[in-house]
Amino acid sequence: MRTWRAWRWAPVPAAALAAAATFVASGIIRGTYPFGALPRNTNDLGQQFVPMHAYLRDLLTGQAPGDFLLNWSSGYGVPFIGDFMGYLGTSLSWMVLLFPRDRIDLAMYVIAIAAIGAAAAAMTAYLRLLKPAGPLWLAALAGVSYATCGWAIDDAAYMTEWLNGLIAFPVICLLCEWIWSKRSLTALVVTPFVVALLWMSHFYTVYMATLGAAVVVLARVLSDPDGGLFTRRVEGGFRCLVGVGVGIALAAPLLLPTYWLVQTATPSPDEVFTPLGWTEFLSRLLPGSEGVGTSPGLAVGTLMLLLALSFPFNRAVPGSERFIWTACVVLTVVSLQLQYPHRVWHGFDSPNGSPYRQAFVVAGMLVVLGWMSLASGVRNLLAVAVPLVLVGALFAQVSDLPTITPTTRDVVPVVAGVAVLAFLLTRWRPGKQLWVRRIAAGLLIAAVLVETTLSSVAIDEARSKFMRDYQPWGAKQESIRALVQSAEDWPQQRVSASQYTTVNDPMLIGGQGAEYYTSTIQQSLSEALVDLGFGYSSYGRAPIDPKNPVIDSVFAVGARVQEGPRGTFTLIKRQAGPLVTLRPEKPWESTDPGAFGVQETALGADVYTVPKVQVRASKGATAAQRDWGIGMRPLPGADDPVELRLTASCQPGDGVYLRGPEFVGDVMISGDGWRQVLKPSAKRPGTYTGAPVLWVGRARPNGVADVQIRVSGPTRLPVGAIGCLDPERLKAAVTALQGSKPAEVEVGGHDVVARFKAGQARTMVLGVVNTPGWQCSVDGKAAKAPESLSGLIAVPVGPKARKVSCNYVPRGLEAGLVLAVGALAVLCALAGILMVSERRRP
């Protein structure tokens, strides 16, 4: 008996191994990392997930300068909980500890394999609990089909944490089914803790998985023929609701701070959801189809699609169950195409890309339908013929669409043919010829696994043609990291790795730079950096460091990596101001316009001259001075590009800087030739994309600043487009800052403490951008939000003050802890009530 019980669950590990094996095999065939020279770090995998997991490893091993509340490595000090919840989670990311730091790319690959395997195992376990009848090997194939669905390979394989949603959907369904069928105390107690772990793993896709699981539970409540009285079924559904709700509340200490971080993050323009045409939409039901970011990855393989379509026509399934389940799934599919449900699926925040991020829920439902039909027995001719006709008609209708790959055109008819052959073999003297049934099973297993592998290859190949890849860790990253570590002296100074591999190099390489790219970047941080002269992309979510000496002095950047000839790198050191400075009671403020004036105010000294700019246009262009700056455009028929010249009056030897956040064109860099400021293809200059302040040369001995630019289309420069930096005045300003630092400064994981002698009233300024969550207290008095000076944290202190403590605590943390404790108390109370009621039963 024990052997039989163990064998019943053998498909669970089998499905995990098979799904993982197909994913690995597809990489071997493609020759992607780690099996070949082709990189697999596509888009966000390379520029966000890999760097953030490298930082997580540093955090877990005690090598990171911050903690779980604040990341000192990026953006001159930024909140971390939002990134943890959005990009790291808790379920599988700990696996980075199993790999050396220079193998972080391999760690991410193994995490993806483990997640796909876990999703297959979870779905198989759920299907076996839902309908124990049916061939064990087909339960495993169903789990594989779900874990390697089109969404998993096309959308989530390079957005690794999204795979947590893929795991969560069958797990939550499994937990609810456990509560539903067993009605045990253990089920109700275990469920909240598992749900909490899932929600902490990746709240975004797990939220979608929870909605999908709610639809599944509703279908069970309304249709389960073995569930007893309707009131008993409703009671089971309510228990599930309580278990999941308590689990979400247990995750509140992370969920609430993340919610507020999202609310105060740099926004992107509102997106208006435009549904796809139904032909293109339904084409993604076919295996091997590809359309990442534009269409839903619904494919679950030809076999499971045929089985799912057989469900409404399978007379072995009770009619009411067929109607309710079919209606629930159809309505869920339709909801993907409707405006309001689209907003509900995405937490009422329509994303800028991938409008069908919830597609894995539909894929899971299709697999559930297919298994329910199969477990009941597919015997009547209508349940076999209609799915073949429907899939054939869809195949013929969409075969020429761009979403369809050559692999799709090959595998669909082949696997459909194998499925029909297997069906005929099993119908030939069923139960009497075991070897025939084994042949049929072997054919189906081989067909599904081969189809899954080839589909993964086709999707990866098609996606790689238009998505950017990032190279894995290599000699380049190693050399930059060695330079950064050689100058590491935090918190005495920051060391910047700059941006030579990803937009999150401070987390990937090390140091404490400005580079930072995340969906939870605070709007106050983005705005402060842009005001200081930073460039940006993604509506300000990815700052571009101008590598400006004034900014370096303000933020205590004493060393930064610089690229030399032939791909070599060197470390440039300069004297910079300290992290904490004491300024006059009323800090000096610059009257210069734009970024140059903001930099001067942050520095506390007048180091720039911002002269009036004259523009001279060639015969092929026109230029006009306006109140807002200078407008330029080539004349019709002019050669492309057209050169213009900017002139201004500076002091001899001053550094000349160009400020043109919306300037689409090129500028001549002294000694380095033409440099592109913004590309002609730049997205919405000044909104989506902005250029940083650029060093372009030095003023001539006669004090003339001569800047050559060239344009290919209409563009503009703002008032105060040229700033002239006096190196001697900057040196004096930095020396003054060094002399104003407190006697003692302590920097913790998310706090700064400064001690100094009493004296006149002053303002303490931190080289940290003032983002929501910072609280400062003077001499132990009540903490309050600090003031801002050019976006920096500024704290007024009286003449008797001796100590200032600034601490970062994200909004919602305390409320989340209270909610979690309350949820735990509710769970304990429910457990006690159930224990008493069970003991009183006769």
Side-chain angles (χ1 to χ4, degrees), residues 101-127:
R101 199 183 190 284
D102 59 357
R103 291 292 180 269
I104 197 69
D105 305 277
L106 182 60
M108 293 302 299
Y109 179 63
V110 173
I111 288 172
I113 295 172
I116 288 173
M123 178 56 81
T124 304
Y126 170 62
L127 297 178

Side-chain angles (χ1 to χ4, degrees), residues 22-38:
T22 62
F23 186 67
V24 171
S26 68
I28 295 174
I29 295 171
R30 273 274 291 151
T32 54
Y33 177 89
F35 305 108
L38 295 176

Side-chain angles (χ1 to χ4, degrees), residues 745-768:
V745 175
E746 297 176 5
V747 179
H750 59 276
D751 64 292
V752 178
V753 178
R755 295 180 176 87
F756 41 84
K757 295 180 180 179
Q760 71 274 22
R762 289 160 290 184
T763 297
M764 192 191 80
V765 179
L766 274 63
V768 179

Side-chain angles (χ1 to χ4, degrees), residues 412-498:
V412 171
V414 170
V415 176
V418 171
V420 172
L421 178 60
F423 173 78
L424 294 176
L425 286 174
T426 55
R427 296 294 294 167
W428 178 55
R429 301 179 67 187
K432 297 183 180 180
Q433 298 291 344
L434 183 60
W435 65 273
V436 174
R437 297 175 63 190
R438 287 178 174 174
I439 289 175
L443 287 173
L444 276 180
I445 292 172
V448 170
L449 295 183
V450 169
E451 178 188 64
T452 298
T453 303
L454 295 181
S455 295
S456 298
V457 172
I459 289 171
D460 188 50
E461 184 175 9
R463 186 182 57 210
S464 67
K465 292 178 180 178
F466 62 91
M467 281 194 168
R468 179 180 177 182
D469 289 322
Y470 291 81
Q471 291 294 329
W473 188 281
K476 182 178 181 179
Q477 289 88 342
E478 199 68 50
S479 62
I480 298 174
R481 181 168 170 80
L483 290 171
V484 169
Q485 290 182 322
S486 70
E488 191 72 60
D489 192 19
W490 172 256
Q492 301 306 314
Q493 70 170 15
R494 288 184 168 105
V495 182
S496 174
S498 297

Side-chain angles (χ1 to χ4, degrees), residues 38 144 154 158 432 585 657 760 811:
L38 295 176
V144 171
D154 200 12
Y158 74 96
K432 297 183 180 180
E585 180 182 9
Y657 290 83
Q760 71 274 22
R811 181 181 178 183

Side-chain angles (χ1 to χ4, degrees), residues 442-801:
L443 287 173
L444 276 180
I445 292 172
V448 170
L449 295 183
V450 169
E451 178 188 64
T452 298
T453 303
L454 295 181
S455 295
S456 298
V457 172
I459 289 171
D460 188 50
E461 184 175 9
R463 186 182 57 210
S464 67
K465 292 178 180 178
F466 62 91
M467 281 194 168
R468 179 180 177 182
D469 289 322
Y470 291 81
Q471 291 294 329
W473 188 281
K476 182 178 181 179
Q477 289 88 342
E478 199 68 50
S479 62
I480 298 174
R481 181 168 170 80
L483 290 171
V484 169
Q485 290 182 322
S486 70
E488 191 72 60
D489 192 19
W490 172 256
Q492 301 306 314
Q493 70 170 15
R494 288 184 168 105
V495 182
S496 174
S498 297
Q499 181 182 326
Y500 295 114
T501 56
T502 74
V503 289
N504 277 306
D505 268 1
M507 283 189 275
L508 178 65
I509 305 294
Q512 304 83 31
E515 291 76 17
Y516 183 51
Y517 173 46
T518 172
S519 295
T520 61
I521 186 172
Q522 296 297 277
Q523 184 174 6
S524 55
L525 175 67
S526 297
E527 291 177 346
L529 295 181
V530 170
D531 289 344
L532 284 162
F534 279 70
Y536 59 91
S537 60
S538 301
Y539 304 104
R541 290 179 174 176
I544 300 172
D545 192 346
K547 304 175 184 178
N548 180 280
V550 178
I551 292 176
D552 284 355
S553 299
V554 168
F555 287 103
V557 180
R560 68 164 57 248
V561 176
Q562 180 172 295
E563 188 171 12
R566 295 183 296 277
T568 60
F569 295 92
T570 57
L571 191 69
I572 304 299
K573 298 182 180 181
R574 62 163 58 99
Q575 188 181 22
L579 181 67
V580 183
T581 56
L582 292 170
R583 311 285 181 89
E585 180 182 9
K586 185 178 181 181
W588 176 83
E589 293 187 17
S590 173
T591 58
D592 285 339
F596 301 118
V598 178
Q599 288 182 25
E600 288 181 326
T601 299
L603 184 69
D606 185 3
V607 295
Y608 282 107
T609 300
V610 183
K612 185 176 181 180
V613 178
Q614 299 293 330
V615 57
R616 288 186 292 169
S618 64
K619 294 181 180 180
T622 180
Q625 297 274 2
R626 305 294 186 191
D627 292 341
W628 44 259
I630 304 171
M632 297 161 285
R633 67 171 60 240
L635 293 173
D639 293 336
D640 189 24
V642 178
E643 291 189 19
L644 300 93
R645 190 178 298 272
L646 307 176
T647 57
S649 179
C650 304
Q651 293 296 317
D654 279 0
V656 180
Y657 290 83
L658 176 69
R659 172 177 166 258
E662 301 177 52
F663 178 68
V664 179
D666 307 317
V667 61
M668 174 65 74
I669 305 294
S670 177
D672 196 31
W674 289 102
R675 175 174 172 179
Q676 202 167 53
V677 181
L678 287 179
K679 300 177 181 178
S681 60
K683 293 183 181 179
R684 301 167 68 180
T687 303
Y688 182 95
T689 310
V693 169
L694 292 174
W695 180 86
V696 295
R698 292 197 175 277
R700 296 175 182 174
N702 62 358
V704 174
D706 192 355
V707 181
Q708 291 176 264
I709 59 175
R710 60 186 185 188
V711 299
S712 299
T715 188
R716 59 171 61 188
L717 288 169
V719 173
I722 288 181
C724 306
L725 177 62
D726 188 324
E728 294 302 318
R729 280 194 280 172
L730 175 60
K731 183 178 179 180
V734 172
T735 301
L737 288 179
Q738 287 287 352
S740 71
K741 65 182 179 182
E744 183 181 348
V745 175
E746 297 176 5
V747 179
H750 59 276
D751 64 292
V752 178
V753 178
R755 295 180 176 87
F756 41 84
K757 295 180 180 179
Q760 71 274 22
R762 289 160 290 184
T763 297
M764 192 191 80
V765 179
L766 274 63
V768 179
V769 175
N770 190 1
T771 52
W774 279 102
Q775 296 286 318
C776 296
S777 67
V778 180
D779 288 337
K781 297 178 182 178
K784 61 181 181 180
E787 298 179 3
S788 292
L789 179 71
S790 284
L792 307 181
I793 292 176
V795 183
V797 295
K800 296 181 180 180

